Amino acid sequence: MQTTSAHAYKETKVKTASQGQIIVMLYDAAIRNIDQAVEELRGEGSRLDIVNAAFQKARDIVTELSCSLDMETGGEFATRLFNLYIWFNRQLMEANFKKDIEPAVTVRNMLLELRDAWATIAVRTNVEGRASSGLNIAG
């Protein structure tokens, strides 16, 4: 259970984040949930309710990422990313259904690569945006 101050911190972090930073946070959350499910499956006497909930949260996040794509502006890149997200969700569903770690780890590693790419983009966009707009008094 989160403390009130931890919840307030997370809420503020999301409200003040750029679009790129929010995407990175979504990737981080999906990866964390996959890690939780895999760790639970590797343990003795794994609690399947926790495994199921973690995989479902990861799938929900991947679905949110796919819904956030701008298919018109993104063109072929957005289409390919959308198809990849669909594949991720299928793999996570299979991992959950079969209680198989391998497809989950594959998705996790691919999400991590995408996360790192988005983090680089978010930093560059944030720095370039501040440089071109002058003084940013909002912080």
Side-chain angles (χ1 to χ4, degrees), residues 35-106:
D35 287 346
Q36 181 184 17
V38 168
E39 182 179 316
E40 190 64 37
L41 283 172
R42 285 184 175 146
E44 290 182 31
S46 58
R47 298 169 292 181
L48 298 182
D49 57 327
I50 292 174
V51 171
N52 183 58
F55 275 135
Q56 189 56 52
K57 284 180 189 175
R59 290 185 68 228
D60 288 346
I61 293 165
V62 170
T63 298
E64 183 64 33
L65 286 165
S66 70
C67 290
S68 70
L69 292 170
D70 183 344
M71 302 305 279
E72 280 186 37
T73 307
E76 185 179 342
F77 175 75
T79 301
R80 288 177 186 250
L81 198 51
F82 180 80
N83 290 332
L84 189 58
Y85 289 150
I86 289 172
W87 184 80
F88 286 167
N89 267 336
R90 282 191 203 129
Q91 292 299 110
L92 291 173
M93 187 169 45
E94 179 181 327
N96 191 17
F97 181 73
K98 294 181 179 179
K99 304 306 180 226
D100 184 3
I101 293 170
E102 189 175 325
V105 170
T106 299

